[in-house]
Amino acid sequence: MQTGTDQIKERIRKAAIKEGFDCIGFARAELNEKTRRRLSSWLAQGCHGTMGWMAETQSRRTDPRALWPEAATVISLGTNYAPGHNPLSGLMHHSRGYISVYARNRDYHDLIKGRLKQLGARIQHICDQDIKVFVDTAPLMEKPLAAAAGLGWQGKHTNIVSRRFGSWLFLGEILTTLDLPPDSPASEHCGRCTRCLDICPTSAFDAEGRIDARKCISYLTIEHKGPIPYALRSRFGNRIYGCDDCTAVCPWNRFAPPTPHDAFKPRVELTAPRLADLLELDDASFRTLFSASPVKRISRPRFIRNVLIAAGNSGDAAITKKITPHLNDPNPVIRGAAVWALSRLLDIRDFHDLAEAYGKDESDPCVREEWMLGGKPSSIQP
């Protein structure tokens, strides 16, 4: 027989499904000591790269009640964004850019936050308790909380893996003052599989369940503002925003149904855009193309830097005419990426001629070094 709190949980579950969420679980508003220690060690070793906000918010990040002392329960919610096919086939088309599956249509932050607010209003109607909603923007450790709530387990790639949805879940949370019995945590089902670790193009995993953001293509193409580390550029392939390799290769994805949410189905123009076309984007056309997409938040300079790295990896000498104008870009990071791309695609004589025309007047020391080295290994970036 259901208790009063069990009935409340069931009503909330039904309300969540009506609002468009695909799975839901309940956990205490707390994190265990092991999770806190792992975060502290990860930060102490600088694995967060330039994401200084992660260290600045460490004390709040390790305790949901530091965000809201009255919180008793975390309602963890998942939204399926599975592509319905193997997206990694897009990595074979070197003249086209690869955008991570999650960013090929609407920004999930906006859509899920709206749904969370709607569900929150329903919860308040059901139980007359206070709530707060979160979606990937507050210092809340979403993945450990989702695992505690039974949505899935944290795989060796650190992401949530679900037996129903594989590795394709957007997460969101509702904190509430309502004290509800927690669901059982999901058990781990990775076994001996290490596909996610083995496939990483930049060897960003230094242990199972531990990723060094400084080597991660997703971090470097999205969060990192400076030049792409020199030694890693050739491993980027045609990835221009994010990377899906460790997620897409998970065997549990074979059970994941394609997303039913139209907002997360890929827009054609963002599925495999031509690198040559992307290199022609000015600020206005960049904003238009990526309207309502999460890509827009990194701004045009960072995006063009990424496209230039992909162009340098394309092997397509014809694209050099689209790269050369970027040697005059006011942003030195773009100029440096353009020099590197040209050094990969031009023969030595043609590259030397460009160096004579552009390099001698270059004011930025990092770009001058790019010209001087002409694509040879250097100490520009570790």
Side-chain angles (χ1 to χ4, degrees):
M1 190 172 89
Q2 284 189 326
T3 65
T5 52
D6 288 335
Q7 291 174 343
I8 290 174
K9 286 175 64 175
E10 186 59 27
R11 291 180 66 185
I12 293 174
R13 289 184 198 277
K14 290 179 178 178
I17 299 304
K18 286 183 179 179
E19 289 297 336
F21 293 101
D22 297 297
C23 53
I24 176 175
F26 299 81
R28 302 286 187 199
E30 60 190 24
L31 290 166
N32 61 40
E33 180 60 28
K34 180 180 178 181
T35 297
R36 292 195 292 269
R37 285 199 307 266
R38 290 180 66 179
L39 175 64
S40 180
S41 173
W42 188 77
L43 291 170
Q45 294 183 44
C47 295
H48 58 303
T50 58
M51 296 183 291
W53 43 268
M54 295 196 74
E56 292 166 6
T57 59
Q58 180 180 353
S59 60
R60 284 180 287 160
R61 193 171 295 276
T62 55
D63 184 3
R65 292 194 178 102
L67 282 176
W68 189 23
E70 292 79 18
T73 300
V74 176
I75 304 172
S76 185
L77 298 125
T79 304
N80 172 25
Y81 72 101
H85 66 283
N86 180 10
L88 299 187
S89 60
L91 297 174
M92 304 302 295
H93 305 292
H94 305 302
S95 65
R96 294 180 176 269
Y98 185 95
I99 295 173
S100 184
V101 168
Y102 87 88
R104 296 179 183 178
N105 201 329
R106 290 278 306 281
D107 191 332
Y108 72 92
H109 296 89
D110 298 334
L111 185 66
I112 293 179
K113 190 167 187 178
R115 289 180 178 178
L116 288 170
K117 289 181 176 180
Q118 290 289 105
L119 177 58
R122 285 175 174 262
I123 292 172
Q124 288 180 308
H125 178 74
I126 291 170
C127 59
D128 192 27
Q129 294 282 332
D130 292 335
I131 60 99
K132 292 183 184 294
V133 304
F134 301 91
V135 54
D136 195 27
T137 53
L140 195 67
M141 296 187 72
E142 296 184 304
K143 291 183 282 188
L145 289 170
L151 266 62
W153 67 96
Q154 278 194 265
K156 295 173 183 178
H157 54 16
T158 78
N159 297 313
I160 288 294
V161 183
S162 162
R163 298 182 74 169
R164 289 180 59 201
F165 304 107
S167 293
W168 306 109
L169 280 179
F170 290 132
L171 300 176
E173 296 77 38
I174 296 178
L175 267 59
T176 177
T177 54
L178 180 64
D179 191 359
L180 294 171
D183 290 334
S184 298
S187 55
E188 185 269 334
H189 294 282
C190 289
R192 297 181 180 178
C193 178
T194 58
R195 293 185 191 182
C196 59
L197 309 182
D198 299 337
I199 199 173
C200 181
T202 54
S203 301
F205 296 100
D206 52 21
E208 293 181 2
R210 180 182 164 96
I211 186 168
D212 188 338
R214 296 167 295 186
K215 297 179 182 179
C216 175
I217 292 176
S218 287
Y219 161 78
L220 291 167
T221 55
I222 298 171
E223 301 292 346
H224 182 66
K225 297 179 181 179
I228 299 297
Y230 205 93
L232 300 180
R233 296 175 188 178
S234 62
R235 304 186 199 179
F236 275 47
N238 62 339
R239 300 170 185 84
I240 58 175
Y241 187 92
C243 177
D244 291 319
D245 291 40
C246 66
T247 302
V249 78
C250 179
W252 285 99
N253 290 336
R254 67 183 183 272
F255 300 111
T259 181
H261 309 287
D262 289 341
F264 300 140
K265 295 175 181 177
R267 286 164 49 190
V268 173
E269 65 271 26
L270 301 188
T271 301
R274 296 178 66 246
L275 296 174
D277 294 338
L278 297 176
L279 287 171
E280 293 184 328
L281 294 176
D282 58 16
D283 192 63
S285 54
F286 168 80
R287 290 176 176 274
T288 298
L289 177 61
F290 295 107
S291 175
S293 161
V295 177
K296 189 170 70 172
R297 78 180 182 90
I298 69 171
S299 75
R300 176 186 173 274
R302 218 179 304 177
F303 181 75
I304 294 298
R305 173 204 63 185
N306 298 343
V307 177
L308 286 165
I309 298 300
N313 289 327
S314 69
D316 179 12
I319 204 173
T320 56
K321 62 180 181 293
K322 304 286 188 179
I323 297 173
T324 304
H326 292 287
L327 296 174
N328 292 316
D329 196 280
N331 189 315
V333 173
I334 289 180
R335 296 199 303 276
V339 173
W340 182 84
L342 290 168
S343 75
R344 300 263 295 177
L345 298 172
L346 294 175
D347 61 40
I348 295 176
R349 179 173 297 180
D350 289 341
F351 182 79
H352 178 75
D353 290 344
L354 277 180
E356 285 292 310
Y358 291 92
K360 61 183 179 181
D361 296 323
E362 177 56 57
S363 60
D364 185 88
C366 289
V367 183
R368 286 201 305 270
E369 191 172 359
E370 295 275 9
W371 278 118
M372 180 182 68
L373 292 161
K376 299 174 184 177
S378 80
S379 60
I380 294 175
Q381 292 287 314

